[in-house]
Structure formats: structure tokens, C-alpha cells
């Protein structure tokens, strides 16, 4: 069962009241080494969820439903694969199951239309035995770029590659997750994503000399009330 925040917009809080209610932040399947998103014959769909959610470069004559965009944002937070039961529980808890499934089909159809205009076909979003799956290779998502870079930093064999991966993670973060969206399921995911970002900022600062303060200040610009960033900056002495 995923978290529902009871109407909270998931503001920049510094704690989560009960770890048992936290959702699971989805880790997207990594692409094979040497293969980037959009590396095949199809166009890549660019999606931004760090900051205001947006499908990039959608033509003016293509309509993206607000709830379709919310559904896509949720799929991304879950790593690109979610069972229908969780979707209905988190996004559509109020209608009857039949009505909720009908609405979900509407959102899916709308997204497939958008993807077909951008990429030439609707195969970017598939449904297999009630499991809704985004084609990882068909998307360039800022959150996934950040999480991939965090994983690369953890696995880095030496400092230079670790610093480069941390820099990619920090640079990919351009704002709080789904900033201003107000989705009811949002708070727990925003908390977890902010923790990932703050950890990367602090780790990068630990590995830098002169630019360390600038890295921390940039992190605090995105999350001005984060207690860890505030504490690290308060105790930071430029060398």
C-alpha cells in the first residue's frame, strides 16, 4: 500500500512522521552499458518531474489531460512499472472500481496519443496483466537521470568517477519533485527524492574544495527548510 497524504502538498518538511507509511521510491531498470535512452530508431520522450511536471515539446494542438500527467508522474516515481491495484488505490480511491478503471483507461489512451505524436507510436506505455509499464529506453526523465547517477556514485571505484557521478545527480535536480502539483499521493515520494538529492549534495561537497559552499548553497536554494543542509552550512568553514 502506498502513502496517501490526506491532501498535503508534501511541502519541504524535514522529517517523515512514521516510516511505516512511506512509499517505496521506484528505481527504474538500468539500460545496458553503452545504450542511452532513445538509442534505437524511435524518438525519445523527454519528461521533467523535478520542478513542475511536464512532457517536453508537446505540440500546441495536442491536449495532455491534467490527470494523465499526474498518472505519468506517478508511474515515474514508482520506477516506471505499477500494478493497476496500486494505481487505483493511490490515484482513484473515491470512484467505484468500474468507474476508476474506466478513468484509468482514459488517461492511458490520452498518454498513448501524446506519445504517438512525439515518438511515432503508442508502445511507450504498455499494459501486461494489469501491470502498467513505461518503456525505459523510450524516455529521458530527469528523476531517473538523478537516481542513475546516485547509483553510479555508490558503485564508483575511485574519487574522480564518484565526484563526476555526484555532479550529474546534483545537476539533474532542478526543483522539488512535482513542484506545485498538489497531488494527494505526493508527500512521501517528495520526501524520499529530497533525501536522495540532499545526500548527493552533501557527499559532493565533502569531495570538493573551493566550490563546496556553492554546492551546498545551491541545494538550499531548492530546499530552503532542509535541516541537514542548514546544519552542514552552519558548521561549514571555508578553507
Amino acid at each position: 500500500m502506498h502513502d496517501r497524504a490526506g491532501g498535503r502538498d508534501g511541502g519541504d518538511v524535514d522529517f517523515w512522521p512514521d516510516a511505516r507509511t512511506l512509499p517505496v521510491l521506484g528505481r527504474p531498470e538500468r539500460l545496458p552499458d553503452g545504450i542511452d535512452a532513445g538509442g534505437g530508431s524511435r524518438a525519445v520522450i523527454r519528461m521533467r518531474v523535478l520542478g513542475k511536471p511536464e512532457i517536453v515539446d508537446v505540440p500546441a494542438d495536442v491536449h495532455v489531460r491534467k490527470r494523465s500527467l499526474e498518472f505519468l508522474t506517478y508511474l515515474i516515481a514508482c520506477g516506471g512499472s505499477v500494478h493497476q491495484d496500486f494505481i487505483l488505490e493511490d490515484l482513484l480511491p473515491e470512484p467505484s472500481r468500474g468507474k476508476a478503471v474506466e478513468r484509468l483507461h482514459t488517461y492511458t489512451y490520452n498518454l498513448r496519443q501524446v506519445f504517438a505524436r512525439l515518438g511515432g507510436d503508442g508502445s511507450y506505455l504498455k499494459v501486461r496483466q494489469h501491470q502498467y509499464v513505461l518503456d525505459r529506453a523510450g524516455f529521458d526523465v530527469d528523476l531517473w537521470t538523478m537516481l542513475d547517477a546516485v547509483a553510479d556514485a555508490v558503485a564508483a571505484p575511485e574519487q574522480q568517477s564518484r565526484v563526476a557521478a555526484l555532479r550529474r545527480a546534483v545537476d539533474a535536480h532542478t526543483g522539488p519533485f512535482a513542484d506545485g502539483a498538489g497531488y494527494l499521493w505526493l508527500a512521501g515520494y517528495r520526501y524520499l527524492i529530497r533525501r536522495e538529492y540532499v545526500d548527493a549534495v552533501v557527499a559532493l561537497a565533502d569531495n570538493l574544495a573551493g566550490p563546496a559552499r556553492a554546492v551546498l548553497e545551491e541545494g538550499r536554494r531548492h530546499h530552503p527548510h532542509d535541516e541537514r543542509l542548514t546544519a552542514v552550512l552552519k558548521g561549514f568553514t571555508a578553507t
Side-chain angles (χ1 to χ4, degrees):
M1 179 177 179
H2 293 115
D3 161 71
R4 286 192 58 77
R8 288 177 57 191
D9 183 39
D12 200 31
V13 295
D14 293 292
F15 66 93
W16 190 257
D18 186 350
R20 294 172 300 178
T21 67
L22 274 172
V24 175
L25 179 61
R27 303 281 175 169
E29 179 182 356
R30 294 297 298 265
L31 294 173
D33 290 343
I35 297 179
D36 297 322
S41 59
R42 293 184 306 162
V44 64
I45 306 295
R46 295 178 59 214
M47 178 69 185
R48 299 292 169 256
V49 295
L50 298 174
K52 181 181 178 181
E54 176 191 15
I55 305 173
V56 180
D57 294 333
V58 175
D61 63 331
V62 175
H63 175 60
V64 182
R65 291 174 175 263
K66 289 183 179 180
R67 295 303 302 273
S68 299
L69 185 61
E70 177 182 0
F71 173 38
L72 180 57
T73 303
Y74 175 81
L75 278 173
I76 288 169
C78 294
S81 179
V82 191
H83 193 274
Q84 176 179 280
D85 290 345
F86 287 120
I87 299 169
L88 299 183
E89 179 182 346
D90 287 351
L91 271 63
L92 295 159
E94 301 300 332
S96 66
R97 184 175 180 87
K99 178 63 71 173
V101 169
E102 180 180 328
R103 292 180 184 177
L104 182 57
H105 288 168
T106 298
Y107 308 152
T108 301
Y109 178 72
N110 179 228
L111 288 175
R112 283 174 168 167
Q113 285 186 311
V114 174
F115 298 158
R117 279 293 302 271
L118 293 174
D121 62 56
S123 65
Y124 292 85
L125 172 56
K126 298 178 180 179
V127 184
R128 303 166 181 158
Q129 296 182 332
H130 304 293
Q131 189 82 10
Y132 287 71
V133 180
L134 294 175
D135 181 357
R136 176 70 166 92
F139 288 88
D140 172 3
V141 181
D142 53 0
L143 173 60
W144 291 354
T145 298
M146 187 188 88
L147 294 177
D148 284 351
V150 167
D152 289 342
V154 171
E158 39 79 27
Q159 185 183 28
Q160 183 176 358
S161 57
R162 174 176 167 78
V163 168
L166 288 170
R167 174 61 73 183
R168 292 197 304 273
V170 170
D171 289 348
H173 185 285
T174 56
F177 175 62
D179 195 21
Y183 304 146
L184 292 180
W185 52 269
L186 175 62
Y189 290 99
R190 179 178 288 172
Y191 171 83
L192 292 171
I193 292 165
R194 181 166 60 87
R195 290 291 84 201
E196 294 276 354
Y197 171 66
V198 170
D199 286 349
V201 167
V202 173
L204 180 59
D206 284 345
N207 284 274
L208 295 175
R213 178 178 289 277
V215 170
L216 294 167
E217 290 286 5
E218 177 66 11
R220 192 167 64 170
R221 184 179 70 82
H222 289 306
H223 297 287
H225 306 297
D226 186 272
E227 290 183 353
R228 186 180 181 198
L229 284 175
T230 300
V232 171
L233 271 166
K234 186 176 181 180
F236 181 82
T237 301
T239 57

